[in-house]
C-alpha cells in the first residue's frame, strides 16, 4: 500500500514561497494595487472635471490606449528571455509612473491620448513580467504563490478604492491630482523595492510538482526541433500554445461579465435594487480573498489544472442560467439569483486563474518561457477589448443570451481540456510540416 499523503500543517500553509524575494515581490504587488485602486476610481472623473473631456472622447482615449497596450505582453516576454526580468520590470514600473505624471502637464486631447497609450504599454507588460518573476522565484510552488499574491492584491485594490472614495468626497481639482500623484509615488516605491530583489534563475523547465514529468520538451527534442537556443523556439509557431491562448480569451470573459455585465443587467433587466451592483463586486473580492489560497491546492500540477476545467465550465453555465432567471421574478427573487450568479462566476474566476496560471507555464519551454508567457498575456489584453462588446450584446439580447454564453464557455473549457491533454502531439512549425509532407 502506498502511504497516504499527509495534510500540510497550518504553519507551513502560512509560508510564502520564494523566500525573501518572493515576499518582497508580494509587497510590490500590494503597493502597486493600492496605487492603482486610488487612481482607477478617479481616472474617469479626472478626465471629465479636470481635463474637461466628453464621454465620447474618454471612450476613444481608453480604446486607443488599449490597442497599444496589446503589444506590451509579447514585447515584455521576449525581452525577459534576453535580459534580467527584474531590471525590465523596474523600467516598466517607472515608465508607468512617467506616463501618468505627464497627464498633469496638459489638457490637450491629443497629448492625453498619447500619454495614456504610452502608459498602457508598460502597464500590460508589467503584469507579464510579475508573473514570470513569480514562476521563476517560486518554482514548483508557483500555484500557491500566485494564489497568495492574488489574495493580497485584492486586499490592496480594496484599500486603494476606499482611499479614492474618501478623497473624492472633496471633489476638487487638487484632490484628483493628489490621487494621481499618489499612484505615481507607488510606482517609484515599487521600482526601488524591485531593484532590491535578486534576479531569479531562468530554468530550462520549471517543474510543476514532484509528480510532474521530467520533460514536456522531450517530444520537441525527439521531433528534431532545436531547443538549445531561445531564438529557435517561438510561441508564434507553436500551434497548440496559440490555440490554448485563443481559448483563454473567451475564458477570461468572467472579468467583463462581473465588471460590466452585472451592473448593466441589474439596472436594465431585473427588479433587483440598483445598489446591488456595487455589492456584487464587494462579494467578488471577499470570495477571492477567502477562497483563492485554500483552492490553490487543486491546481498545483498540470494534470490537476486540466481537471479544473470541468468545474470551471459547470460554474460558468450555472452563472449564466442564474442571470437569465433573475429577469423573471420580483425584487427578492432577482436579488437571490443575481447573487447566486455572482458566486458562480467568481468561483469560475478563481478556478480559472489557477488553471490558466499553471497551464500557461507548464506548456511553455523553459528556454523561451518569457516569450510564451508574453503571448499568453495577449489573452487578457484581447479580452479587455472584446469582453465589453460581447457582454453588452448579451445584455441587449435578453435573458436567453446568458445560458447560451455559458454554454459557449463550457465548450471552450472542453476544447481546452482536450487541447492540453498529455498525449497531445507537440506542435510542429509550419515550415517543417510543409517539408515533411513533400
Amino acid at each position: 500500500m502506498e502511504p497516504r499523503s499527509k495534510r500540510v500543517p497550518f504553519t507551513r500553509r502560512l509560508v510564502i514561497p520564494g523566500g525573501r524575494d518572493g515576499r518582497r515581490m508580494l509587497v510590490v504587488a500590494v503597493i502597486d494595487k493600492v496605487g492603482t485602486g486610488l487612481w482607477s476610481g478617479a481616472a474617469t472623473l479626472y478626465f471629465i472635471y479636470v481635463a474637461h473631456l466628453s464621454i465620447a472622447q474618454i471612450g476613444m482615449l481608453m480604446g486607443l490606449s488599449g490597442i497599444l497596450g496589446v503589444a506590451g505582453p509579447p514585447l515584455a516576454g521576449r525581452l525577459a528571455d534576453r535580459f534580467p526580468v527584474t531590471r525590465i520590470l523596474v523600467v516598466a514600473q517607472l515608465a508607468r509612473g512617467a506616463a501618468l505624471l505627464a497627464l498633469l502637464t496638459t489638457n490637450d486631447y491629443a497629448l492625453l491620448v498619447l500619454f495614456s497609450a504610452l502608459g498602457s504599454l508598460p502597464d500590460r507588460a508589467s503584469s507579464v513580467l510579475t508573473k514570470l518573476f513569480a514562476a521563476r522565484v517560486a518554482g514548483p510552488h508557483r500555484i500557491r504563490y500566485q494564489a497568495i499574491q492574488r489574495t493580497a492584491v485584492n486586499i490592496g485594490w480594496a484599500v486603494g478604492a476606499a482611499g479614492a472614495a474618501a478623497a473624492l468626497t472633496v471633489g476638487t481639482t487638487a484632490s484628483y491630482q493628489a490621487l494621481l500623484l499618489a499612484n505615481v509615488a507607488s510606482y517609484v516605491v515599487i521600482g526601488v523595492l524591485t531593484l532590491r530583489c535578486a534576479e531569479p534563475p531562468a530554468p530550462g523547465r520549471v517543474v510543476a510538482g514532484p509528480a510532474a514529468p521530467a520533460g514536456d520538451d522531450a517530444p520537441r527534442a525527439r521531433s528534431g526541433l532545436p531547443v538549445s537556443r531561445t531564438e529557435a523556439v517561438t510561441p508564434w509557431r507553436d500551434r497548440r500554445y496559440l490555440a490554448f491562448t485563443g481559448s483563454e480569451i473567451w475564458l477570461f470573459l468572467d472579468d467583463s461579465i462581473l465588471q460590466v455585465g452585472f451592473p448593466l443587467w441589474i439596472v436594465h433587466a431585473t427588479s433587483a435594487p440598483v445598489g446591488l451592483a456595487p455589492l456584487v463586486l464587494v462579494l467578488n473580492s471577499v470570495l477571492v480573498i477567502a477562497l483563492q489560497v485554500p483552492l490553490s491546492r487543486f491546481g498545483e500540477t498540470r494534470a490537476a489544472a486540466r481537471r479544473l476545467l470541468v468545474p470551471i465550465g459547470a460554474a460558468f453555465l450555472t452563472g449564466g442560467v442564474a442571470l437569465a432567471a433573475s429577469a423573471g421574478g420580483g425584487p427578492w427573487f432577482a436579488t437571490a439569483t443575481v447573487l447566486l450568479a455572482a458566486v458562480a462566476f467568481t468561483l469560475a474566476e478563481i478556478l480559472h486563474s489557477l488553471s490558466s496560471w499553471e497551464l500557461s507555464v507548464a506548456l511553455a519551454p523553459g528556454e523561451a518561457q518569457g516569450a510564451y508567457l508574453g503571448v499568453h498575456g495577449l489573452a487578457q489584453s484581447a479580452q479587455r477589448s472584446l469582453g465589453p462588446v460581447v457582454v453588452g450584446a448579451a445584455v441587449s439580447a435578453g435573458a436567453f443570451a446568458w445560458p447560451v454564453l455559458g454554454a459557449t464557455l463550457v465548450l471552450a473549457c472542453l476544447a481546452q481540456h482536450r487541447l492540453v491533454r498529455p498525449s497531445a502531439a507537440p506542435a510542429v512549425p509550419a515550415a517543417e510540416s510543409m517539408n515533411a509532407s513533400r
Side-chain angles (χ1 to χ4, degrees):
M1 293 181 62
E2 296 182 359
R4 300 178 67 178
S5 59
K6 297 180 180 180
R7 296 190 59 168
V8 179
F10 180 73
T11 53
R12 287 187 59 190
R13 282 185 278 163
L14 293 177
V15 175
I16 297 174
R20 182 186 62 182
D21 289 332
R23 294 190 296 272
R24 187 168 287 159
M25 193 56 70
L26 189 64
V27 173
V28 166
V30 173
I31 295 175
D32 186 2
K33 284 304 179 182
V34 171
T36 302
L38 286 171
W39 171 241
S40 295
T44 301
L45 297 178
Y46 175 89
F47 288 127
I48 292 175
Y49 295 116
V50 178
H52 306 294
L53 302 184
S54 66
I55 298 298
Q57 286 178 315
I58 295 173
M60 181 65 70
L61 179 149
M62 293 182 174
L64 292 175
S65 298
I67 291 173
L68 183 59
V70 170
L75 176 60
R78 200 68 179 171
L79 290 173
D81 283 332
R82 289 163 170 75
F83 305 101
V85 66
T86 51
R87 300 302 181 263
I88 304 172
L89 184 54
V90 169
V91 172
Q93 291 161 344
L94 296 181
R96 293 163 74 192
L100 188 59
L101 187 62
L103 295 179
L104 290 178
T105 65
T106 182
N107 286 338
D108 181 79
Y109 182 63
L111 289 176
L112 289 174
V113 171
L114 174 63
F115 295 148
S116 296
L118 291 177
S120 179
L121 186 67
D123 183 68
R124 303 285 178 86
S126 64
S127 63
V128 170
L129 295 168
T130 302
K131 177 179 179 180
L132 182 58
F133 181 93
R136 291 176 177 176
V137 79
H141 305 291
R142 59 177 176 257
I143 287 296
R144 175 166 174 76
Y145 184 87
Q146 184 261 359
I148 295 173
Q149 184 185 68
R150 197 162 185 266
T151 301
V153 298
N154 268 272
I155 297 174
W157 182 280
V159 171
L168 291 177
T169 58
V170 179
T172 62
T173 297
S175 65
Y176 293 117
Q177 293 173 338
L179 291 172
L180 185 152
L181 289 172
N183 195 17
V184 171
S186 73
Y187 292 139
V188 175
V189 172
I190 63 177
V192 172
L193 289 176
T194 303
L195 277 175
R196 298 182 63 189
C197 292
E199 179 68 17
R205 166 62 60 191
V206 177
V207 181
D216 283 344
D217 288 337
R220 181 182 294 273
R222 288 196 298 269
S223 70
L225 295 180
V227 295
S228 61
R229 293 186 303 154
T230 299
E231 294 80 9
V233 182
T234 169
W236 300 109
R237 298 169 63 191
D238 189 331
R239 290 193 292 269
R240 179 171 64 161
Y241 201 85
L242 291 176
F244 166 71
T245 299
S247 65
E248 287 283 86
I249 297 174
W250 204 247
L251 294 182
F252 276 121
L253 275 178
D254 59 81
D255 181 65
S256 291
I257 292 173
L258 287 161
Q259 298 283 341
V260 179
F262 270 82
L264 291 177
W265 186 251
I266 289 169
V267 172
H268 294 291
T270 77
S271 56
V274 175
L276 184 62
L279 292 180
V280 165
L281 298 180
V282 173
L283 176 63
N284 172 260
S285 295
V286 169
L287 289 176
V288 169
I289 292 170
L291 298 178
Q292 188 75 63
V293 174
L295 291 179
S296 66
R297 61 192 178 95
F298 294 106
E300 292 182 340
T301 66
R302 176 174 165 178
R306 180 172 179 259
R307 287 194 295 270
L308 283 178
L309 289 166
V310 175
I312 290 170
F316 274 132
L317 185 58
T318 299
V321 171
L323 270 186
S326 67
W332 286 105
F333 179 80
T335 298
T337 48
V338 165
L339 291 177
L340 173 62
V343 171
F345 279 114
T346 298
L347 184 60
E349 173 194 353
I350 294 171
L351 295 179
H352 177 242
S353 71
L354 299 172
S355 174
S356 174
W357 171 277
E358 174 58 28
L359 292 174
S360 65
V361 177
L363 294 174
E367 65 274 14
Q369 194 179 69
Y372 271 70
L373 293 184
V375 167
H376 182 260
L378 287 173
Q380 283 185 303
S381 295
Q383 188 281 142
R384 291 180 184 179
S385 299
L386 176 66
V389 177
V390 172
V391 170
V395 172
S396 300
F400 181 71
W402 291 114
V404 172
L405 182 59
T408 65
L409 289 163
V410 170
L411 291 176
C413 286
L414 294 177
Q416 192 175 109
H417 188 273
R418 178 177 177 81
L419 186 67
V420 302
R421 69 192 189 280
S423 60
V428 179
E432 182 167 316
S433 178
M434 292 175 62
N435 292 334
S437 64
R438 291 177 182 173

